[in-house]
């Protein structure tokens, strides 16, 4: 069996996108891992499947490269808007709205949530400053922008061994659904960010991570909205004020399309 797919990326965070609005497509964790495998599959950070929706223009489902299904993906949202032209997307993290502005795509990810059980954390803690530390990384903020994030601000981003500390924090028992780990440095109100993504590891950019980090920077007056967030793959502009949805603007690129050989992947 063969199935049409699109390969897209948002600032180097890459996706295999399958449009299953007319023809259903069943995903198992094993199939998601096989498609995402860069040696034997197509290769991607996340597999995205588009389905019909009753509450929005379409439903977007997201699988990390480890095969786990998750709630939200900021960079994929911009790609899906570019690909399909829709303006509202149902996701497990909420309704996402956006618009293709031409060179860039703008997306609203809804209002962030700061309750310990909304992140979620394993037990009550002050999400403005978790009383926790991992080596030199300490007291992160925790929040949900549809998916769970912690944000650390540091003086020297390059000195942080993300490959070592990222997976340790991701799997800490304090985070029952695991967590996306953002480490950022702020200079003159501009944010530089590296993200260890839950279920995908270090990526060139993370859209929800950029939103979570900009919100954390605005809350602590390290930066003012709109915030420029620069990641290894490029930059996003993030706007937010307390009580409002977070909005993100940036690029999205269609790379190629082709046919998946599903039998070869099993
Ligand atoms: N790359 C994404 C986030 C993808 C999901 C994330 N790894 C999770 O497990 O929540 C983005 O651009 O936001």
């Amino acid at each position: 069996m063969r199935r049409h797919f699109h390969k897209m990326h948002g600032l180097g965070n890459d996706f295999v996108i399958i449009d299953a609005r007319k023809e259903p497509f069943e995903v198992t964790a094993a199939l998601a891992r096989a498609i995402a495998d860069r040696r034997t599959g197509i290769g991607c950070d996340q597999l995205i499947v588009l389905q019909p929706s009753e509450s929005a223009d379409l439903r977007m489902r997201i699988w990390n490269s480890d095969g786990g299904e998750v709630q939200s993906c900021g960079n994929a949202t911009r790609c899906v808007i570019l690909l399909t032209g829709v303006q509202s997307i149902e996701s497990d993290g909420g309704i996402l709205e956006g618009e293709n502005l031409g060179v860039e795509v703008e997306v609203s990810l809804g209002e962030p949530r700061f309750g310990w059980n909304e992140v979620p954390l394993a037990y009550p803690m002050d999400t403005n400053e978790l009383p926790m530390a991992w080596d030199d990384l300490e007291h992160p903020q925790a929040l949900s922008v549809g998916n769970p994030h912690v944000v650390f601000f540091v003086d020297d981003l390059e000195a942080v061994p993300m490959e070592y500390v990222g997976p340790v924090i991701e799997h800490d028992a304090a985070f029952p659904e695991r967590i996306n780990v953002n480490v950022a440095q702020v200079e003159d109100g501009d944010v530089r960010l590296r993200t260890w993504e839950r279920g995908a590891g270090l990526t060139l950019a993370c859209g929800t991570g950029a939103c979570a980090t900009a919100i954390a920077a605005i809350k602590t007056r390290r930066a003012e909205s709109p915030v420029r967030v620069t990641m290894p793959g490029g930059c996003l502009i993030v706007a937010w004020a307390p009580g409002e949805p977070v909005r993100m603007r940036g690029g999205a690129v269609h790379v190629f399309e082709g046919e998946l050989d599903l039998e070869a992947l099993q």
Side-chain angles (χ1 to χ4, degrees), residues 6 8 17-19 21 50 57-58 76-89 100 254:
H6 297 267
M8 297 189 77
I17 303 180
I18 295 175
D19 190 344
R21 283 178 290 177
L50 308 181
D57 294 336
L58 59 77
T77 305
R78 295 198 315 282
C79 289
V80 169
I81 287 169
L82 180 71
L83 180 69
T84 63
V86 302
Q87 294 198 324
S88 67
I89 297 176
N100 182 355
H254 189 274

Side-chain angles (χ1 to χ4, degrees), residues 52-106:
S53 167
E54 287 181 0
S55 53
D57 294 336
L58 59 77
R59 178 171 183 218
M60 173 173 75
R61 294 180 66 188
I62 305 146
W63 284 264
N64 280 326
S65 54
D66 73 350
E69 186 172 3
V70 290
Q71 308 97 323
S72 192
C73 180
N75 288 327
T77 305
R78 295 198 315 282
C79 289
V80 169
I81 287 169
L82 180 71
L83 180 69
T84 63
V86 302
Q87 294 198 324
S88 67
I89 297 176
E90 177 191 350
S91 74
D92 287 353
I95 299 285
L96 315 168
E97 287 173 339
E99 193 183 352
N100 182 355
L101 303 175
V103 176
E104 294 184 316
V105 177
E106 186 168 58

Side-chain angles (χ1 to χ4, degrees), residues 22-242:
K22 295 205 173 108
E23 190 189 340
F25 183 69
E26 289 303 319
V27 178
T28 60
L31 180 61
R33 278 195 297 272
I35 292 172
D37 193 314
R38 294 190 190 278
R39 291 157 307 165
T40 53
I42 305 301
C44 61
D45 296 320
Q46 275 89 31
L47 167 67
I48 307 296
V49 176
L50 308 181
Q51 297 179 336
S53 167
E54 287 181 0
S55 53
D57 294 336
L58 59 77
R59 178 171 183 218
M60 173 173 75
R61 294 180 66 188
I62 305 146
W63 284 264
N64 280 326
S65 54
D66 73 350
E69 186 172 3
V70 290
Q71 308 97 323
S72 192
C73 180
N75 288 327
T77 305
R78 295 198 315 282
C79 289
V80 169
I81 287 169
L82 180 71
L83 180 69
T84 63
V86 302
Q87 294 198 324
S88 67
I89 297 176
E90 177 191 350
S91 74
D92 287 353
I95 299 285
L96 315 168
E97 287 173 339
E99 193 183 352
N100 182 355
L101 303 175
V103 176
E104 294 184 316
V105 177
E106 186 168 58
V107 167
S108 165
L109 295 178
E111 280 191 45
R113 294 186 289 277
F114 303 103
W116 70 271
N117 50 349
E118 294 175 302
V119 176
L121 305 176
Y123 44 88
M125 277 185 265
D126 179 1
T127 57
N128 290 313
E129 200 177 299
L130 299 189
M132 306 181 77
W134 296 264
D135 295 339
D136 293 339
L137 291 178
E138 51 187 26
H139 310 314
Q141 296 180 58
L143 67 158
S144 168
V145 286
N147 57 353
H149 289 265
V150 281
V151 181
F152 298 87
F153 291 103
V154 297
D155 293 333
D156 184 0
L157 184 56
E158 276 68 41
V160 179
M162 293 295 288
E163 293 87 346
Y164 159 71
V165 79
V168 174
I169 299 171
E170 176 192 351
H171 291 94
D172 193 290
F175 310 117
E177 295 181 10
R178 301 176 19 226
I179 201 107
N180 295 289
V181 182
N182 302 282
V183 181
Q185 184 174 343
V186 186
E187 270 162 26
D188 300 330
D190 284 345
V191 173
R192 284 197 299 120
L193 171 66
R194 297 237 57 198
T195 303
W196 176 271
E197 285 196 28
R198 171 180 68 168
L202 272 181
T203 54
L204 290 173
C206 177
T208 50
C211 290
T213 304
I215 291 165
I218 293 165
K219 267 183 86 183
T220 52
R221 299 184 194 284
R222 288 178 166 91
E224 281 178 16
S225 178
V227 184
R228 173 186 295 273
V229 182
T230 303
M231 295 162 282
C235 81
L236 291 171
I237 304 297
V238 180
W240 178 73

